[in-house]
Amino acid sequence: MNRPIPPLVGARFGDDWWQRGVIYQVYPRSFADSDGDGVGDLGGIIDHLDHLGPDGLGIDAIWLSPIYPSPGLDLGYDVADHERVDPLLGSEEDFDRLVAEAHRRGIRVVVDLVMNHTSDAHRWFESSRAGRDGPHADWYLWRDPSGSGPDGRPLPPNNWGSIFGGPGWEWEPRRLQFYFHTFMAEQPELDWRTPAVEDAQLRMVRGWLARGVDGFRLDVFNVFLKHPDLPSNPTRAGATAWDRQLHLYDRDQPDFPALIGRFRAVLDEEPGRMSVGELFDGTIETAAGLTTDRHLVFEWSLIEATWTASDIRSVIGVRESAFGAGRWPTAVLSNHDRPRHASRLAASIGAGDPDAISRAAAVLLLTVRGTPFLYYGEELGMSDVDIPSEESVDPPFSRFSPEFHLWDRSRCRTPMPWSPGPGAGFTTGRPWLRLGPDAETRNVDAQLADPTSVLSTYRALIALRAATPALQVGSLHAHPDGGGEVVAYTREIPGQVILVLLNLGRRDATWRLSAVAGESGWRPLVRTAKATAADEAIAIGATLILAPDEGLILEAVRPEA
Ligand code: TEU
């Protein structure tokens, strides 16, 4: 399958796009359905690239949640073949067409790699579980029982658990051994210490690069390596079985950065390829420690913050000190695992207009230091949707146990509303998961027509960011006058100072514009409570009134030389 790599035409940024650009997560099943079967697909993504491209939202890359054949128990995160496209989502040709059509618009393509585990329906696992002599016998984490219980049943090799609840070990009668799974029993964990596993994974990575892919999101990457002896974890107090262990041996092993180095070396054979690792269940310091040049790491401080000035200010400070000047953070407010932030942030304070909060949160996401990752639909201020339990499409949730702390992730994965009318322009058929009750009014067409909409605000902010180097790569400094309900920081490069103000209080706030570096005034660039910002500069010493959940971005005006 040696296809020519489709050329990227008119991309906004060069090889450092992973730092300057904005990345947009598409959940393929819910973005757009092109064939009327009710499930989003690759054709649907192609049909809507103009919503994302330079004449639309203006993002720089799309990240596709898994597109591989999968029994669907974890909706694609249980991969049955990492080298193919799920026929439910389209054909191999559709994928190549998607890369070509994205590249034609200057949009890069990032795919999600689930390399920690496979589906139990993967041919590697089917061969591995069949016996101890086959070619894949040592590709998974197989271990003998530690003994047998009073009833004669085999006992697991150690005390490791599954984050989805229950023990992490599953008995395989054909091998008379246990295999390990951090997630569902149907997601057996690969043994990355078997050299053939790493070889196969890197071969697969090369295959996607050869098809023109520009980068990868690595699912739960810090779990790939376990301690070679698989010792039991020490225990501690905690609310869930998972939290009652110190995860010393089932993740974050000291030789893991070297593995990522070998993966990066494959990507670095050509310039301009990015990767982002999903930190699984760890601290921001761990995330910063695993961040290297061009290899980003998701951490969860922003996604876990409440919508208060004190929390947001403190999270910005924690991010700055954890990453320092030399490492580049990511910025994420929503993804396919977490409550959507339009719902979550308003709930965190029990007040506020969710759309005003969405607009102000967009200011934060797109001006804080780090690469912003948007989750489809957040540009419309989409909220979580109540899903009756019989309609849930999140098997880990449905297998709820007292030890399972997740929520129904179907709530944040509902179809994208494109236009009014039945199916909301998402499908001509019956949507695989119900649409939000507000789809008739909260949709792309309706918001395009409204200059004050959440979508218009995202478009203005992304355009501003693309034209403002200080917002892309500038250093971040807390503004000395910030405090109380106003979060205030500057982004700076030599010759350009941008000031960001966010009123996170429930009342109007006043802000007196002081001078930061000898400027004569401040020019408002984007103001979320008004359709447009006034163009004239505001003099030093003037006082501004910020409405609740208003965000305002200003640029320092140099005195005439
Ligand atoms: O998520 C790992 C992970 O951190 C989640 O299981 C998390 O604990 C939970 O969703 C609460 O936020 C990745 C994928 O993003 C997720 O969709 C998969 O279910 C999981 O890996 C297994 O592949």
Side-chain angles (χ1 to χ4, degrees):
M1 281 202 289
N2 265 339
R3 305 170 178 84
I5 294 186
L8 189 68
V9 184
R12 199 140 52 184
F13 302 114
D15 294 344
D16 58 353
W17 66 274
W18 55 272
Q19 182 177 29
R20 292 180 183 267
V22 175
I23 302 178
Y24 182 100
Q25 178 184 1
V26 173
Y27 197 72
R29 283 172 165 72
S30 285
F31 196 62
D33 169 25
S34 67
D35 61 8
D37 67 356
V39 183
D41 49 36
L42 300 181
I45 302 172
I46 296 170
D47 291 344
H48 290 281
L49 282 172
D50 287 333
H51 167 68
L52 303 173
D55 300 327
L57 200 51
I59 52 87
D60 301 284
I62 49 174
W63 145 31
L64 305 173
S65 273
I67 51 164
Y68 318 103
S70 159
L73 290 176
D74 196 7
L75 297 185
Y77 286 90
D78 49 328
V79 178
D81 182 348
H82 292 79
E83 295 175 311
R84 295 264 168 278
V85 172
D86 191 335
L88 181 70
L89 303 179
S91 63
E92 300 300 323
E93 290 65 34
D94 289 335
F95 180 81
D96 294 330
R97 199 157 54 87
L98 171 56
V99 174
E101 287 296 322
H103 280 187
R104 208 162 63 73
R105 294 167 174 83
I107 302 174
R108 291 168 162 100
V109 178
V110 173
V111 296
D112 206 323
L113 288 183
V114 190
M115 300 200 286
N116 175 66
H117 42 269
T118 68
S119 158
D120 62 350
H122 196 293
R123 65 187 167 80
W124 296 345
F125 189 69
E126 285 176 346
S127 125
S128 196
R129 79 188 319 180
R132 300 193 192 192
D133 327 303
H136 304 100
D138 58 353
W139 283 38
Y140 291 82
L141 280 165
W142 294 104
R143 284 297 183 280
D144 293 332
S146 60
S148 49
D151 55 358
R153 286 225 305 240
L155 295 174
N158 66 22
N159 70 353
W160 295 359
S162 157
I163 184 117
F164 286 157
W169 294 97
E170 195 72 17
W171 179 247
E172 172 52 69
R174 277 174 282 177
R175 283 180 65 132
L176 300 176
Q177 279 187 315
F178 285 95
Y179 69 84
F180 180 66
H181 58 94
T182 303
F183 299 94
M184 283 192 289
E186 293 86 349
Q187 291 167 300
E189 215 113 323
L190 286 158
D191 186 352
W192 274 84
R193 294 192 183 283
T194 296
V197 168
E198 183 174 321
D199 291 349
Q201 302 280 39
L202 296 185
R203 230 183 357 261
M204 178 268 292
V205 165
R206 284 181 191 284
W208 289 109
L209 291 172
R211 291 177 79 168
V213 157
D214 304 282
F216 300 99
R217 179 253 188 198
L218 305 185
D219 190 56
V220 297
F221 84 129
N222 55 320
V223 192
F224 292 0
L225 288 181
K226 282 77 176 169
H227 189 288
D229 303 333
L230 274 51
S232 280
N233 282 321
T235 55
R236 61 172 179 190
T240 63
W242 181 266
D243 290 339
R244 284 193 288 277
Q245 292 192 4
L246 266 178
H247 293 274
L248 291 188
Y249 303 123
D250 51 353
R251 65 173 194 226
D252 299 322
Q253 295 304 295
D255 48 349
F256 177 63
L259 192 165
I260 286 301
R262 296 192 292 277
F263 163 78
R264 268 302 330 173
V266 172
L267 271 59
D268 287 335
E269 289 169 9
E270 302 277 343
R273 290 161 168 176
M274 68 80 75
S275 52
V276 56
E278 184 211 21
L279 185 77
F280 172 65
D281 195 40
T283 64
I284 187 168
E285 287 75 23
T286 309
L290 290 171
T291 301
T292 54
D293 189 18
R294 299 177 309 291
H295 184 67
L296 302 169
V297 180
F298 287 137
E299 56 80 25
W300 311 117
S301 62
L302 269 177
I303 218 171
E304 286 168 359
T306 64
W307 193 239
T308 56
S310 60
D311 215 8
I312 297 297
R313 197 178 290 124
S314 123
V315 161
I316 292 173
V318 166
R319 285 165 53 90
E320 287 301 306
S321 59
F323 283 81
R327 290 193 162 108
W328 195 252
T330 58
V332 184
L333 286 175
S334 285
N335 66 28
H336 64 292
D337 289 332
R338 308 277 186 145
R340 284 186 176 272
H341 67 264
S343 299
R344 188 186 67 235
L345 296 177
S348 76
I349 52 168
D353 162 15
D355 280 354
I357 294 178
S358 281
R359 289 190 293 263
V363 170
L364 176 70
L365 183 70
L366 292 158
T367 62
V368 83
R369 193 174 70 98
T371 302
F373 287 76
L374 273 48
Y375 181 52
Y376 84 95
E378 77 171 64
E379 74 273 33
L380 305 175
M382 261 175 92
S383 57
D384 292 331
V385 176
D386 288 333
I387 305 290
S389 56
E390 65 279 9
E391 287 179 27
S392 167
V393 277
D394 189 13
F397 168 78
S398 315
R399 293 180 195 177
F400 186 87
S401 81
E403 298 291 14
F404 177 62
H405 66 275
L406 286 188
W407 67 306
D408 184 358
R409 294 176 297 180
S410 323
R411 295 170 52 83
C412 69
R413 299 173 175 177
T414 58
M416 176 90 168
W418 294 96
S419 50
F426 165 74
T427 183
T428 54
R430 184 184 146 84
W432 76 294
L433 177 60
R434 65 165 67 196
L435 286 149
D438 54 356
E440 190 62 22
T441 49
R442 185 181 299 282
N443 56 59
V444 172
D445 285 355
Q447 293 206 9
L448 276 179
D450 172 5
T452 68
S453 66
V454 178
L455 178 56
S456 297
T457 305
Y458 268 85
R459 286 167 63 127
L461 287 168
I462 293 171
L464 174 67
R465 198 179 190 280
T468 313
L471 287 179
Q472 298 154 21
V473 294
S475 55
L476 184 149
H477 307 273
H479 192 287
D481 299 345
E485 303 292 16
V486 180
V487 175
Y489 51 90
T490 55
R491 297 291 308 282
E492 303 182 20
I493 55 167
Q496 187 171 49
V497 180
I498 300 292
L499 172 63
V500 180
L501 300 174
L502 290 164
N503 174 15
L504 301 193
R506 298 301 104 212
R507 278 193 287 268
D508 284 356
T510 52
W511 180 271
R512 190 173 168 276
L513 281 170
S514 57
V516 169
E519 67 280 5
S520 59
W522 289 90
R523 191 161 58 88
L525 300 173
V526 169
R527 176 156 207 170
T528 65
K530 302 230 166 61
T532 51
D535 207 33
E536 320 90 69
I538 307 174
I540 302 293
T543 296
L544 303 172
I545 309 285
L546 296 164
D549 297 316
E550 175 166 10
L552 175 56
I553 306 176
L554 306 107
E555 178 171 13
V557 183
R558 308 259 135 207
E560 296 297 324

